[in-house]
């Protein structure tokens, strides 16, 4: 936290007279000309007058410094401030310099009300305060889940909604149940499997049998949803199950069903829990179960939770700081990033994020389960496919977090099967596989290589995947442990490799047809747990090692694709871009129909992981902020890839546009710098998105530097175009005359793209990668331009200083302009190449226009 004052040379005091020394080679006029810049008392005239007066000033000194000024004005667009001579603007320049160094500006400036790439949950107000050394982004949010505060399931589950009288009734009833639990262990009363003696010993474990699904091994037949399910009242109560758990720990059974609370808030062994759920209390007549609508809306489609792990021994030994603060009872966290000013003094930048739940380092795995998976378990008996995945850099705690969840969920599922859904023919199946380098391996079958196939009905089948029917926790535990062991020891680099693979454990609920176990059971719902590869691995695409590069690209692709699918899901899009990667393809059945997604973002607290942590949080925020009802997302304003490549950069036009230059001049520098700092926030919030970049370049054609940074709210609300939609579908979201055109309707227009354009997934991946690279290069170029602008401003300041050498000025200006030109040429070459590839693949087609 340091305050840095300006270099004295940069200050221009009121009434100061600047001197411009004549070029030694001799321009016309006297060797020194004096230009009164302003007088301390003179009120600042209006912008038009300013311009006139400066023009006059220039003209009036034609015989002295006028030529020089004219030369400068022609040389660079950024010379316009040189012509600005009023005091107000001078002050603005002073401010701008301060602010560009991250200091000096006082008070909040409301910069952008819309979203930027990263830390803004859509629809929220955003403020940036740049105060002293501290940049702070504060996102006050209209929470997605209104009952924010605390960290319990109540935030996620809209379980209230019941009249107070009914809530009291629930409480009363549950208290009674707690008193009256009989301890009956229902699962023992009805074994789910035939006698052990009837099966080979190899299929028995701990007295419990394990038998692979020999009916249709490996076929994840999620589409067979014709099972007769439970009566409405039962479903409603099951759905209300978490509500019961919020009230007390007890069970309600009656009229043939039971809602099963678990060891809420405590680790309890299965027997304890099972024993406590056998009461047969009748359901109070006063209790009105939640309606179907309430039931389905009770669990959000997407929930994003962040979990911070504690500092580990190594980090403590290295005296690394914990840079993440989490306010107790809040769903927000702040990352304190250390940054350096240009003079190398340190300052802290705060990044604040808001999520559905934020779990600090003291939160137990039990609480994580309670917050994430527990509420969705009942839904999978009701045709819902739920997916829970952990995202984060290597070592951030993904495995630590994910590991216990399937077992806990299995406990809940078995309880429901044994109680609420007793005698209804439900069966539980476990499968566990891994995606490594784009290939599938069965973790429960000695890493046997698996094949993914799509049948004529577009059902995804994982051929050869072994599914195990299970009915006891011990068996499930053994299977999970076996799979985990296979995952980490199956490849040479153990943990190193596990971080490069996605592990997917699936719990499938099936139901026998007409209670006939000899017929193949049909799938009712599924819960998938995904321990994703380390997110930073996706960045390994520049690694020299080819294998690492390929893996990095694959991981990158899958993480992007996953985000796109979740986004599409939450939009209720008809078309889900599951083809973006192997990961999303195998999860296809989880992306159709009624689905729920829980994302757990794991973050490391140490300062050394700051960048990765911010990336993880931005990814998470992107998932959440793009969700329905959560952002002002508007497809009509979505800028697409096609548009961005179709509009070439044209700085020359900008430079030549004197009308715009004067407009810029009129607006003054303060606006530019304010906008510039908005730009930096946008960039630092994440990556400048394609749409932002596009907006930038579109603006650059018709506006000046200042306006280039003037992002509208709408643009900042925009999302990067879908990168991972299958084939040409990726480019199907187009704004046309401000009207949205939905992906699904475009996809139907087969005439607009050639299905055979891509010979393989690799080609598509290459193209997507090229797009990413282009956007990255563009971003770098924009950053470089900003640095150049600063340099030019310094140069201009110095040009006014007494004793300034004109030859040095000219030399530096030349260098600056060459640098600028080189950057543009390089980017243009990349753009042209990309455009060529798009055309080759028939992605850029004019027929996409309406
Ligand atoms: N919340 C936590 N509390 C205590 N220890 C934790 C926590 N989270 C992670 N750890 C510890 O941190 C280390 C790394 O965790 P873990 O292996 O889960 O990371 P990961 O993100 O899965 O890494 P990779 O991507 O390499 O598989 C482990 O030793 C783990 O026990």
């Amino acid at each position: 936290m340091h305050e840095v004052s300006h270099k004295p040379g940069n200050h221009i005091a009121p009434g100061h007279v600047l001197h411009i020394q004549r070029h030694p080679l001799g321009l016309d006029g006297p060797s020194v000309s004096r230009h009164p810049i302003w007088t301390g008392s003179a009120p600042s005239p209006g912008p038009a007058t300013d311009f006139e007066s400066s023009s006059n000033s220039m003209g009036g000194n034609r015989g002295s410094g006028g030529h020089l000024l004219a030369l400068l004005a022609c040389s660079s667009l950024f010379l316009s401030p040189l012509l600005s001579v009023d005091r107000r603007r001078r002050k603005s320049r002073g401010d701008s310099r301060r602010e560009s160094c991250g200091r000096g500006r006082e008070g909040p400036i409301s910069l952008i009300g819309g979203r930027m790439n990263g830390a803004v949950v859509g629809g929220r107000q955003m403020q940036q305060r740049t105060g002293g050394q501290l940049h702070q982004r504060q996102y006050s949010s209209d929470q997605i889940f209104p009952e924010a505060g605390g960290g319990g399931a109540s935030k996620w589950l809209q379980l209230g909604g019941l009249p107070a009288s009914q809530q009291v009734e629930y409480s009363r009833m549950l208290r009674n149940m707690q008193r009256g639990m009989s301890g009956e262990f229902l699962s023992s009363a009805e074994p789910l499997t035939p006698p052990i003696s009837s099966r080979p010993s190899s299929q028995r474990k701990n007295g419990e049998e394990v038998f692979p699904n020999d009916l249709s091994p490996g076929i994840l037949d999620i589409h067979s949803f014709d099972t007769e399910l439970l009566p409405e009242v039962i479903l409603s109560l099951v759905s209300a199950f978490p509500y019961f758990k919020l009230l007390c720990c007890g069970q309600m059974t009656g009229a043939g069903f039971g809602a099963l609370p678990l060891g809420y808030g405590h680790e309890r062994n299965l027997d304890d829990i099972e024993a406590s759920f056998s009461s047969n209390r009748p359901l109070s007549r006063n209790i009105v179960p939640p309606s179907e609508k309430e039931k389905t809306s009770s669990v959000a489609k997407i929930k994003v939770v962040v979990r911070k792990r504690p500092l580990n021994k190594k980090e403590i030994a290295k005296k690394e700081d914990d840079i993440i603060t989490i306010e107790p009872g809040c769903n927000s966290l702040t990352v304190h990033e250390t940054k350096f000013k240009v003079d190398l003094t340190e300052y802290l930048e705060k990044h604040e994020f808001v999520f559905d739940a934020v779990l600090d380092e003291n939160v137990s795995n039990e609480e994580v389960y309670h917050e994430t998976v527990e509420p969705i378990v009942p839904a999978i008996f009701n045709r819902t496919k739920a997916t829970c995945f952990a995202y984060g850099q290597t070592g951030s705690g993904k495995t630590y977090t994910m590991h216990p969840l399937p077992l806990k969920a299995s406990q809940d599922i078995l309880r429901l099967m044994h109680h609420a859904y007793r005698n209804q023919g439900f069966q539980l199946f476990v499968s566990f596989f891994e995606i490594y380098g784009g290939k599938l391996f069965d973790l429960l079958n000695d890493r046997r290589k698996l094949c993914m196939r799509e049948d004529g009905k577009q059902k995804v089948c994982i051929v050869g995947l072994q599914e195990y029917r299970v009915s006891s926790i011990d068996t499930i535990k053994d299977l999970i442990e076996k799979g985990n062991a296979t995952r980490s020891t199956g490849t040479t680099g153990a943990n190193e490799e596990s971080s490069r693979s996605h592990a997917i454990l699936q719990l499938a609920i099936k139901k026998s047809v007409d209670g006939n176990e000899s017929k193949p059971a049909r799938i009712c719902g599924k819960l998938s747990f995904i321990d994703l590869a380390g997110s930073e691995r996706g960045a390994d695409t520049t690694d020299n090692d080819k294998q690492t590069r390929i893996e990095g690209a694959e991981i990158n692709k899958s993480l992007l694709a996953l985000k796109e699918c979740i986004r599409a899901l939450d939009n209720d899009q008809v078309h889900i871009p599951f083809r973006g990667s192997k990961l999303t393809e195998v999860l296809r059945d989880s992306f159709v129909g009624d689905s729920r997604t829980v994302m757990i973002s794991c973050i490391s607290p140490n300062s050394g992981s700051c960048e990765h942590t911010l990336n993880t949080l931005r990814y998470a925020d992107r998932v959440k902020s793009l969700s329905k009802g959560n952002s002002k997302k508007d497809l009509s304003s979505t800028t697409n890839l096609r548009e961005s490549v179709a509009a070439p950069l044209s700085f020359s036009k900008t430079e030549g546009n004197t009308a715009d230059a004067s407009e810029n001049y009129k607006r003054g520098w303060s606006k530019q710098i304010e906008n510039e700092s908005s730009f930096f926030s946008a960039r630092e919030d994440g990556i400048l998105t394609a749409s932002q970049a596009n907006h930038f370049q579109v603006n650059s054609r018709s506006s000046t530097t200042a306006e280039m940074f003037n992002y509208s709210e709408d643009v900042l609300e925009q999302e990067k175009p879908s990168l991972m939609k299958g084939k040409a579908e990726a480019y199907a979201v187009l704004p046309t005359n401000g009207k949205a055109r939905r992906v699904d309707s475009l996809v139907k227009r087969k005439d607009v793209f050639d299905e055979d354009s891509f010979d393989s997934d690799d080609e598509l991946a290459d193209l997507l990668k090229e797009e990413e690279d282009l956007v990255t290069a563009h971003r770098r170029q924009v950053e470089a331009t900003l640095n150049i602008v600063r340099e030019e401003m310094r140069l201009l300041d110095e040009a006014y200083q007494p004793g300034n050498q004109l030859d040095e000025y000219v030399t530096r200006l030349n260098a600056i302009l060459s640098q600028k030109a080189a950057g543009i040429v390089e980017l243009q070459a990349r753009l042209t190449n990309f455009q060529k590839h798009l055309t080759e693949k028939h992605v850029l087609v004019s027929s996409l226009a309406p």
Side-chain angles (χ1 to χ4, degrees):
M1 312 274 270
H2 308 270
E3 187 64 46
V4 180
S5 61
H6 288 293
K7 282 200 304 191
N10 285 346
H11 284 292
I12 302 168
H16 193 97
V17 176
L18 296 184
H19 304 261
I20 296 181
Q21 188 167 318
R22 213 179 146 238
H23 191 286
L25 294 178
L27 290 166
D28 293 343
S31 61
V32 176
S33 75
R34 291 165 184 263
H35 301 272
I37 302 303
W38 67 71
T39 61
S41 58
S44 173
T49 316
D50 293 344
F51 184 60
E52 279 162 20
S53 68
S54 61
S55 300
N56 290 341
S57 166
M58 188 172 76
N61 288 285
R62 190 155 291 172
S64 50
H67 286 183
L68 167 62
L69 292 173
L71 168 72
L72 300 184
C74 293
S75 301
S76 168
L77 161 72
F78 306 113
L79 285 178
S80 54
L82 185 65
L83 309 179
S84 174
V85 291
D86 74 282
R87 179 182 184 174
R88 180 166 47 80
R89 295 233 167 71
R90 282 282 163 189
K91 281 182 127 178
S92 300
R93 271 170 63 181
D95 280 349
S96 70
R97 284 194 301 269
R98 274 199 300 276
E99 189 168 316
S100 65
C101 296
R103 64 201 173 209
R105 179 177 283 276
E106 304 217 327
I109 28 167
S110 183
L111 294 179
I112 305 163
R115 73 173 304 287
M116 291 178 183
N117 184 11
V120 186
V121 174
R124 297 169 197 169
Q125 283 291 327
M126 183 182 116
Q127 272 198 331
Q128 171 164 328
R129 180 194 297 269
T130 310
Q133 303 86 347
L134 224 53
H135 295 256
Q136 177 177 352
R137 282 195 286 279
Q138 175 75 42
Y139 309 112
S140 64
S141 161
D142 53 332
Q143 269 290 66
I144 307 100
F145 304 102
E147 55 277 61
S154 58
K155 291 190 299 300
W156 190 8
L157 298 162
Q158 309 294 308
L159 296 170
L162 293 172
S165 60
Q166 286 175 21
Q167 295 191 17
V168 170
E169 182 62 24
Y170 271 126
S171 306
R172 187 189 59 75
M173 180 186 67
L174 289 166
R175 272 196 306 276
N176 286 343
M177 288 191 306
Q178 275 184 310
R179 283 195 290 270
M181 288 170 185
S182 70
E184 184 193 357
F185 188 38
L186 292 181
S187 64
S188 63
E190 188 198 9
L192 292 178
T193 55
I196 287 170
S197 56
S198 67
R199 308 229 166 73
S201 59
S202 63
Q203 293 181 349
R204 290 179 218 141
K205 227 163 193 189
N206 304 329
E208 168 63 37
E209 67 177 333
V210 183
F211 52 104
N213 176 13
D214 52 0
L215 298 171
S216 57
I219 309 294
L220 304 178
D221 182 16
I222 198 98
H223 301 270
S224 316
F225 282 140
D226 57 351
T227 315
E228 271 300 310
L229 290 173
L230 296 169
E232 181 64 20
V233 65
I234 299 176
L235 293 175
S236 300
L237 282 164
V238 170
S239 178
F241 155 51
Y243 175 67
F244 292 157
K245 279 191 284 184
L246 290 175
L247 292 173
C248 72
C249 178
Q251 184 226 359
M252 179 171 63
T253 58
F257 63 85
L260 310 176
L262 300 184
Y264 174 61
H266 305 282
E267 285 284 2
R268 300 172 63 185
N269 69 41
L270 180 64
D271 291 326
D272 290 344
I273 300 163
E274 294 279 7
S276 63
F277 303 136
S278 58
S279 168
N280 277 322
R281 295 194 174 272
L283 181 65
S284 165
R285 272 198 294 263
N286 291 338
I287 296 174
V288 179
S291 68
E292 181 68 30
K293 196 173 167 203
E294 284 167 338
K295 187 179 64 189
T296 48
S297 64
S298 67
V299 180
K301 258 187 159 306
I302 296 177
K303 181 172 188 178
V304 180
V305 175
V306 172
R307 186 185 200 189
K308 171 193 173 189
R309 71 156 168 79
L311 283 169
N312 62 31
K313 280 185 192 160
K314 214 166 148 190
E315 290 155 358
I316 293 169
K318 280 167 71 185
K319 294 195 166 54
E320 284 202 72
D321 287 330
D322 180 342
I323 57 162
I324 295 163
T325 51
I326 298 172
E327 287 290 319
C330 281
N331 292 331
S332 65
L333 64 86
T334 307
V335 180
H336 305 265
E337 184 186 17
T338 304
K339 287 197 153 183
F340 293 92
K341 297 176 188 169
V342 279
D343 63 1
L344 297 182
T345 51
E346 268 184 27
Y347 68 100
L348 286 177
E349 182 166 3
K350 282 208 242 174
H351 306 266
E352 192 168 329
F353 296 86
V354 179
F355 295 101
D356 297 324
V358 175
L359 310 173
D360 67 22
E361 62 271 38
N362 303 313
V363 167
S364 68
N365 281 335
E366 181 66 30
E367 286 168 278
V368 172
Y369 174 71
H370 170 65
E371 187 65 53
T372 56
V373 178
E374 188 185 67
I376 49 178
V377 166
I380 61 167
F381 284 86
N382 192 23
R383 306 182 187 205
T384 294
K385 281 86 57 186
T387 307
C388 173
F389 66 93
Y391 180 93
Q393 74 173 114
T394 296
S396 58
K398 297 184 296 297
T399 308
Y400 183 88
T401 299
M402 290 303 290
H403 199 98
L405 297 181
L407 199 61
K408 290 177 190 298
S410 301
Q411 285 179 348
D412 279 4
I413 291 169
L414 287 178
R415 264 181 216 106
L416 286 169
M417 277 171 52
H418 295 167
H419 299 267
Y421 298 103
R422 197 177 179 188
N423 295 332
Q424 294 191 31
F426 284 111
Q427 300 163 8
L428 175 61
F429 289 82
V430 177
S431 60
F432 200 0
F433 61 100
E434 178 180 58
I435 304 176
Y436 177 65
K439 297 187 177 69
L440 276 65
F441 301 93
D442 193 339
L443 294 176
L444 298 181
N445 195 11
D446 299 325
R447 290 182 64 79
R448 194 178 142 191
K449 206 170 161 193
L450 302 167
C451 265
M452 201 184 57
R453 295 264 183 275
E454 210 179 283
D455 68 12
K457 293 178 193 164
Q458 296 193 316
K459 282 188 204 169
V460 173
C461 310
I462 303 176
V463 181
L465 177 67
Q466 205 68 269
E467 279 188 296
Y468 290 85
R469 183 177 165 188
V470 288
S471 57
S472 92
I473 284 298
D474 287 340
T475 310
I476 298 169
K477 196 172 169 206
D478 287 347
L479 288 172
I480 293 173
E481 276 169 11
K482 181 182 168 188
N484 282 329
T486 311
R487 184 185 182 197
S488 53
T489 57
T491 48
T492 48
N495 199 37
E496 176 63 13
E497 296 297 339
S498 78
S499 183
R500 295 183 159 275
S501 73
H502 307 303
I504 300 167
L505 190 147
Q506 294 188 316
L507 301 174
I509 304 280
K510 296 187 182 181
K511 194 174 181 188
S512 53
V513 182
D514 306 328
N516 185 348
E517 293 235 348
S518 63
K519 289 187 185 171
R522 289 186 171 166
I523 194 151
C524 299
K526 190 155 63 172
L527 185 48
S528 302
F529 297 89
I530 311 168
D531 185 1
L532 289 173
S535 55
E536 81 289 358
R537 300 297 184 173
D540 283 348
T541 47
T542 50
D543 200 288
N544 285 333
D545 175 46
K546 192 177 169 212
Q547 180 63 19
T548 312
R549 268 204 324 268
I550 293 168
E551 283 172 12
E554 181 64 34
I555 291 167
N556 205 11
K557 192 165 79 162
S558 56
L559 297 178
L560 280 170
L562 185 62
K563 187 176 70 179
E564 290 300 316
C565 284
I566 296 166
R567 188 183 143 208
L569 267 178
D570 204 52
N571 284 333
D572 291 330
Q573 267 177 226
V574 175
H575 180 77
I576 310 294
F578 60 88
R579 281 197 178 138
S581 73
K582 273 277 183 320
L583 174 68
T584 45
E585 266 187 277
V586 299
L587 290 172
R588 176 184 177 156
D589 60 359
S590 296
F591 293 146
V592 293
D594 188 25
S595 67
R596 296 289 182 274
T597 305
V598 183
M599 170 178 174
I600 308 175
S601 297
C602 296
I603 51 173
S604 307
N606 60 312
S607 45
S609 297
C610 184
E611 199 183 328
H612 290 311
T613 297
L614 284 171
N615 285 340
T616 297
L617 294 171
R618 284 166 186 150
Y619 180 96
D621 190 73
R622 204 122 178 95
V623 167
K624 190 66 205 177
S625 64
L626 291 165
S627 70
K628 192 166 62 183
N630 222 6
S631 83
K632 293 191 285 173
K633 170 172 40 50
D634 176 7
L635 281 178
S636 66
S637 60
T638 303
T639 308
N640 72 321
L641 181 70
R642 176 171 174 260
E643 206 174 52
S644 62
V645 291
L649 280 170
S650 181
F651 277 89
S652 54
K653 272 192 192 174
T654 307
E655 289 176 9
N657 191 336
T658 49
D660 286 333
S662 68
E663 185 57 32
N664 172 44
Y665 164 75
K666 286 175 196 167
R667 287 172 186 234
W669 280 94
S670 60
K671 182 165 180 59
Q672 170 182 340
I673 297 307
E674 185 171 293
N675 288 323
E676 183 180 342
S677 70
S678 330
F679 168 76
F680 275 118
S681 330
R683 182 179 60 77
E684 286 165 7
D685 267 351
I687 292 169
L688 189 71
T689 64
S691 52
Q692 287 169 332
N694 181 55
H695 182 75
F696 185 93
Q697 78 180 45
V698 167
N699 269 2
S700 74
R701 278 178 293 152
S702 59
S703 61
T704 55
T705 317
E707 290 165 311
M708 288 201 298
F709 303 117
N710 186 14
Y711 295 104
S712 70
E713 255 188 46
D714 278 348
V715 168
L716 291 164
E717 281 285 329
Q718 289 165 11
E719 159 64 334
K720 189 174 179 181
S722 300
L723 293 178
M724 287 299 167
K725 290 175 181 146
K727 303 189 177 179
E729 296 159 20
Y731 310 103
V733 182
L734 299 178
T736 47
N737 299 330
K739 285 183 189 142
R741 299 207 302 162
R742 290 193 48 104
V743 173
D744 44 330
S745 65
L746 271 172
V747 168
K748 283 180 199 142
R749 288 188 52 192
K750 291 210 164 51
D751 57 311
V752 301
F753 61 86
D754 181 356
E755 278 285 345
D756 299 325
S757 296
F758 296 92
D759 295 335
S760 66
D761 278 358
D762 288 347
E763 285 192 1
L764 175 62
D766 286 349
L767 197 63
L768 293 167
K769 171 81 173 52
E770 203 177 338
E771 187 210 350
E772 283 293 302
D773 290 347
L774 174 68
V775 175
T776 304
H778 187 187
R779 189 175 69 247
R780 289 203 183 115
Q781 208 270 331
V782 170
E783 289 168 0
T785 304
L786 288 170
N787 287 332
I788 291 172
V789 171
R790 288 200 192 91
E791 178 65 19
E792 287 189 287
M793 289 167 70
R794 266 196 299 274
L795 188 59
L796 287 171
D797 279 342
E798 286 166 24
Y800 278 119
Q801 300 306 313
N804 180 53
Q805 294 297 316
L806 187 60
D807 54 349
E808 191 194 328
Y809 172 83
V810 170
T811 309
R812 280 173 62 191
L813 181 58
N814 246 324
I816 286 171
L817 294 178
S818 306
Q819 197 185 344
K820 213 161 35 169
I824 292 170
V825 167
E826 193 192 323
L827 188 62
Q828 259 172 342
R830 195 183 276 270
L831 178 62
T832 307
N833 233 4
F834 183 53
Q835 237 166 334
K836 193 174 131 220
H837 294 150
L838 288 176
T839 311
E840 280 167 9
K841 297 295 166 196
H842 309 286
V843 175
L844 272 183
V845 281
S846 54
S847 56
L848 278 174

